[in-house]
């Protein structure tokens, strides 16, 4: 599908998205190398699950959407014909290209752009993977529609991200600490929200895997260069919250805590 024929609803993100995307690139560009070496990003059962899905679909065309430092690309490339590592940050893409070359993964290529406007033809990919990126997107619904467009019939989207419990008190706390730590944060969605957005974009659900993620407070804030006043605010909020919030997130005396995550596998109808 040529750019001239692509629907105008997905041809470019609105101006408001551009402003938000500038915040995202400003936050993550300077930290690209830190995300390559981050233990939370470089390993995990969710990465192993993505690799298993890629292994079950050999020689697939794969899109790693919001690739960050490229860990999904590195895990899935050995089983794929081609992996496109796609991200808003040119600095992140430079890290991916350099590391892919070091690892001899010649089937990884990089592409700059936003999730809401994918510069690919219809039915270009067999698999679209995204890990810890969607909570930064300005318009997840638009991004899902774009994923549906670039997937072949029967293709799969697999999204791994932090998940809201959906309970109002826990959700309010979660979104607050996330945006204090990282001003490019938009929202951690509840599973019900994901299922509604996916259905509206034309997907059916293949699997849903909940997990938990343990986070060390110092490492979590240092990786994002969270300013000291924001760190103080997070710690004050943690201390002030009700006991059931502290129990749910397993908040420790040093500020370390646990988040709920989910891996969602969708099939294009």
């Amino acid at each position: 599908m040529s750019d001239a024929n692509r629907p105008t609803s997905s041809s470019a993100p609105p101006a408001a998205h551009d402003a938000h995307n500038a915040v995202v690139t400003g936050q993550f560009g300077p930290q690209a190398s830190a995300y390559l070496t981050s233990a939370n990003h470089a390993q995990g059962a969710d990465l192993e699950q993505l690799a298993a899905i890629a292994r079950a679909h050999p020689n697939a065309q794969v899109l790693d959407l919001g690739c960050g430092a490229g860990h999904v690309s590195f895990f899935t490339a050995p089983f794929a014909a081609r992996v496109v590592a796609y991200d808003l940050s040119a600095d992140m893409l430079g890290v991916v290209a350099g590391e892919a070359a070091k690892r001899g993964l010649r089937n990884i290529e990089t592409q700059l752009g936003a999730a809401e406007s994918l510069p690919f033809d219809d039915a270009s990919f067999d698999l679209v993977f995204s890990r810890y990126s969607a909570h930064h997107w300005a318009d997840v619904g638009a991004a899902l529609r774009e994923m549906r467009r670039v997937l072949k019939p029967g293709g799969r989207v697999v999204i791994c991200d932090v998940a809201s419990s959906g309970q109002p008190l826990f959700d309010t706390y979660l979104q607050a600490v996330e945006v204090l730590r990282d001003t490019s944060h938009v929202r951690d969605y509840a599973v019900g929200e994901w299922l509604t957005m996916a259905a509206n974009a034309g997907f059916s659900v293949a699997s849903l895997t909940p997990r938990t993620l343990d986070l060390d407070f110092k490492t979590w804030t240092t990786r994002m260069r969270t300013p000291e006043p924001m760190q103080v605010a997070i710690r004050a909020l943690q201390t002030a919250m009700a006991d059931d919030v502290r129990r749910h997130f397993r908040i420790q005396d040093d500020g370390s805590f646990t988040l709920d995550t989910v891996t969602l596998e969708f099939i294009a109808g």
Side-chain angles (χ1 to χ4, degrees), residues 53 57-63 81-82 123-129 150-157 266 268:
I53 292 170
H57 298 82
N59 299 313
Q61 298 287 323
V62 177
L63 175 61
R82 168 179 172 246
S124 297
F125 295 96
D126 302 288
L127 301 170
V128 177
F129 294 145
V150 303
L151 271 174
K152 299 173 184 178
R156 292 174 184 251
V157 164
F266 301 133

Side-chain angles (χ1 to χ4, degrees), residues 8-70:
T8 56
S9 61
S10 61
S11 61
H17 294 186
D18 291 341
H20 172 71
N21 290 344
V23 175
V24 176
T25 55
Q27 286 286 88
F28 284 90
Q31 295 300 100
S33 295
Y35 275 81
L36 179 63
T37 57
S38 164
N40 286 131
H41 292 80
Q43 61 191 17
D46 55 348
L47 270 178
E48 299 291 349
Q49 182 179 353
L50 295 178
I53 292 170
R55 190 183 301 114
H57 298 82
N59 299 313
Q61 298 287 323
V62 177
L63 175 61
D64 179 6
L65 185 55
C67 65

Side-chain angles (χ1 to χ4, degrees), residues 144-165:
L144 284 166
R145 291 190 293 274
E146 277 289 83
M147 290 183 232
R148 176 66 184 83
R149 180 183 65 78
V150 303
L151 271 174
K152 299 173 184 178
R156 292 174 184 251
V157 164
V158 188
I159 296 173
C160 311
D161 208 357
V162 176
S164 168
S165 70

Side-chain angles (χ1 to χ4, degrees), residues 20 23-24 27 136 178-186 224 227 230:
H20 172 71
V23 175
V24 176
Q27 286 286 88
H136 298 291
E178 285 271 53
V179 80
L180 283 169
R181 182 248 184 180
D182 170 16
T183 55
S184 71
H185 174 75
V186 176
M224 187 44 66
M230 300 293 205

Side-chain angles (χ1 to χ4, degrees), residues 65-110:
L65 185 55
C67 65
H71 299 295
V72 170
S73 294
F74 306 148
F75 265 68
T76 59
F79 314 108
R82 168 179 172 246
V83 178
V84 178
Y86 185 83
D87 202 89
L88 272 175
S89 170
D91 293 318
M92 284 289 191
L93 295 177
V95 167
V96 175
E99 186 67 16
K102 287 181 184 178
R103 298 187 186 202
L105 299 172
R106 296 182 178 85
N107 59 336
I108 295 177
E109 60 188 73
T110 60

